[in-house]
Amino acid sequence: MIEFRVEVGSGVPPYRQLVDQVEHALRLGHLHVGDRLPTVKEVAKRLVINPNTVLKAYRELEHKGLAKGRPGMGTFIERGLAGLPAEQQAELRADLEKWLATAHQAGMDSDGIAALVATVLHEFRPEEN
Amino acid sequence: MTQSAITARNLGRRYGRAWGLQHCSLEVPAGRVVGLVGPNGAGKSTLMNLMVGLLRPTTGELELLGERVGPNTVLERVAYIDQEHSLYRDFTVREMLTAGRVLNRRWDDKIATDRLAELGIPLTAKVGRISGGQRAQVALAVALAKQPELLILDEPVASLDPLARREMMSTLMAAKADHDCTIVLSSHVVSELERLCDYLVVLDHGRVQLLGDIDELLEQHRLLFGPAVTEDLVSAHQHVLHREDLNGRVSLLVRGIRPVGDPSWQVQRVNLEELVMRYLAMPSRVAEEVFA
């Protein structure tokens, strides 16, 4: 089961945050095909957010083919997101951890690292390399 | 649902010489959770009082759920909770429910009793003796038992502590999921509304400054930060709504997403609070041009 969170103030609409979190969980293998998403009411009550926001997020997931609503039963994960096999993910993760240790030793804090990663990722164009 | 929950055309209300609300035209689709914001004296309470029939308009028209507001019309489909959570303090909770049943044709006792049982509020308690948070919950239970199609709350949590605020809003959001009604919430704490509302109406000096679907509003606006020396070059290609000087740098609120083309400028998303504050800082005239 996924635990949603919503942060206000970032300017990212809350429904987008929910969609991103489902995609994220699918990529990392925390959610699988057939898993049921919490009901609109559960999410609205727990996170104290507008149920329309949850509905909008679930509609968007359906539109992307990632989830499907079954009347009276709930919304279920319909399709996974092509992630790498667990082994390969673990290898890449180990490389990343090595790099993080280097950055940390060089004196960068986690905010600095996050900003650097975000910038490089933003400017990264694989097809040009 | 494609029906409109609130339609106002040139709605205005004058108090003596001063206008509490003026030239107010809006159309809010049914099913939304509407945030009504603005500083004190902006016209929020005037608009709400017009909606629940406590005030009559000086100019224009107001329709709720497709019906003109007036006695014995749409008002039995509307519930209203004011800032004081007006309840009879000498009544027990059960007596409040009895009063509700007598006064409302569409009353459903079970909606209120289930809700109060879930919250552990005893029906035998005197309304004047329970906590402010519980009183707010009783007011909400009474309002929901009327099975309103439109629920209007004037600063519903202003008097509550943070935990009671959260519980009240959590109950309200769960209720919205159960009964698909339109909700109007007024507040002057904008940051609180970002998670609760999907439609925004900003009032200032008795006029509508900004309105629309909140996600769309956030998508349509950006903040640009950059050096003041290149401001003219950059703003020539942007639709600038508001500018702020910050020691040799400027911050521009722009509408529409166009390339900036100058790497010394940063483009950022705007959050709801920043958006509302910037609109409130604009002269009224500008806001009207944009949304005419």
Side-chain angles (χ1 to χ4, degrees):
Chain A
M1 187 72 125
I2 187 167
E3 276 291 336
F4 286 119
R5 286 181 349 191
V6 163
E7 273 171 45
V8 295
S10 63
V12 180
Y15 90 93
R16 264 268 113 232
Q17 297 183 32
L18 300 182
V19 170
D20 291 348
Q21 284 164 34
V22 168
E23 294 188 344
H24 210 94
L26 286 170
R27 286 206 174 86
L28 294 175
H30 298 157
L31 268 181
H32 303 98
V33 173
D35 283 355
R36 189 177 71 86
L37 294 172
T39 66
V40 170
K41 186 182 171 183
E42 281 163 4
V43 181
K45 191 172 175 175
R46 205 174 147 71
L47 269 62
V48 195
I49 60 168
N50 188 338
N52 291 341
T53 301
V54 189
L55 277 171
K56 188 169 177 179
Y58 285 10
R59 267 203 309 271
E60 173 94 5
L61 289 167
E62 287 192 29
H63 183 71
K64 291 183 162 194
L66 293 174
K68 199 169 164 106
R70 295 186 208 146
M73 297 180 70
T75 304
F76 294 82
I77 296 297
E78 182 82 353
R79 180 166 70 76
L81 277 172
L84 288 173
E87 230 170 86
Q88 232 175 320
Q89 265 197 45
E91 239 172 78
L92 284 166
R93 190 187 165 117
D95 286 349
L96 183 59
E97 276 167 0
K98 235 181 280 167
W99 180 83
L100 283 176
T102 316
H104 183 73
Q105 270 159 24
M108 284 188 90
D109 61 5
S110 29
D111 286 346
I113 291 172
L116 182 60
V117 170
T119 311
V120 175
L121 193 62
H122 182 73
E123 289 166 5
F124 185 60
R125 299 276 177 277
E127 64 272 22
E128 290 166 19
N129 288 346
Chain B
M1 267 197 287
T2 51
Q3 197 204 358
S4 147
I6 307 166
T7 308
R9 290 182 209 95
N10 194 33
L11 187 67
R13 168 71 199 198
R14 198 171 53 201
Y15 302 105
R17 283 178 153 194
W19 288 88
L21 189 72
Q22 213 178 355
H23 307 303
C24 172
S25 294
L26 50 90
E27 182 145 6
V28 178
R32 297 305 197 107
V33 182
V34 184
L36 184 57
V37 301
N40 291 331
K44 302 190 296 283
S45 294
T46 299
L47 179 55
M48 290 192 151
N49 283 325
L50 287 164
M51 286 198 267
V52 295
L54 291 171
L55 281 176
R56 296 181 68 133
T58 312
T59 66
E61 291 167 34
L62 177 62
E63 281 175 14
L64 300 182
L65 309 162
E67 274 189 76
R68 194 77 170 266
V69 176
N72 301 319
T73 59
V74 68
L75 292 178
E76 64 178 30
R77 298 156 68 196
V78 177
Y80 175 56
I81 300 180
D82 66 22
Q83 292 183 28
E84 312 300 325
H85 311 122
S86 291
L87 297 165
Y88 300 101
R89 300 219 162 197
D90 290 335
F91 275 28
T92 62
V93 175
R94 195 194 306 280
E95 286 165 343
M96 281 303 311
L97 301 189
T98 308
R101 188 163 54 238
V102 173
L103 293 169
N104 294 282
R105 269 194 286 166
R106 291 153 58 98
W107 185 265
D108 183 343
D109 226 36
K110 197 172 173 332
I111 292 176
T113 50
D114 283 357
R115 200 160 291 284
L116 294 169
E118 197 183 317
L119 294 160
I121 299 174
L123 297 181
T124 50
K126 278 253 192 341
V127 168
R129 294 275 175 80
I130 55 182
S131 71
Q134 287 184 321
R135 215 157 25 239
Q137 293 280 9
V138 173
L140 182 56
V142 168
L144 291 170
K146 292 177 187 171
Q147 306 190 68
E149 288 163 66
L150 175 61
L151 175 57
I152 300 171
L153 302 100
D154 189 2
E155 302 268 358
V157 294
S159 61
L160 305 181
D161 65 70
L163 186 64
R165 283 168 108 92
R166 192 182 157 84
E167 282 176 350
M168 173 81 171
M169 285 307 166
S170 171
T171 313
L172 182 66
M173 291 299 112
K176 160 74 182 147
D178 280 338
H179 320 274
D180 191 22
C181 54
T182 306
I183 297 177
V184 179
L185 276 174
S186 78
S187 180
H188 51 244
V189 188
V190 180
S191 55
E192 220 165 51
L193 296 176
E194 197 164 342
R195 58 197 305 142
L196 302 175
C197 300
D198 52 70
Y199 201 91
L200 183 73
V201 177
V202 180
L203 292 177
D204 193 25
H205 297 103
R207 288 163 183 257
V208 176
Q209 283 283 91
L210 174 65
L211 83 165
D213 178 274
I214 292 178
D215 290 342
E216 279 173 25
L217 291 174
L218 295 181
E219 286 300 340
Q220 286 162 356
H221 294 82
R222 286 292 182 272
L223 283 174
L224 310 183
F225 296 98
V229 284
T230 48
E231 180 187 349
D232 289 348
L233 284 170
V234 166
S235 59
H237 303 286
Q238 301 287 338
H239 185 67
V240 179
L241 299 172
H242 183 257
R243 63 183 299 285
E244 229 173 64
D245 276 302
L246 317 151
N247 296 327
R249 292 176 67 78
V250 281
S251 153
L252 306 175
L253 176 72
V254 301
R255 190 174 165 91
I257 296 167
R258 300 179 183 84
V260 174
D262 180 339
S264 61
W265 282 71
Q266 280 174 23
V267 183
Q268 283 185 6
R269 282 179 169 274
V270 59
N271 67 39
L272 192 63
E273 191 169 16
E274 289 163 335
L275 187 70
V276 170
M277 291 309 147
R278 294 292 190 107
Y279 267 88
L280 288 176
M282 281 177 212
S284 304
R285 204 164 18 85
V286 178
E288 269 170 40
E289 276 168 22
V290 174
F291 290 97

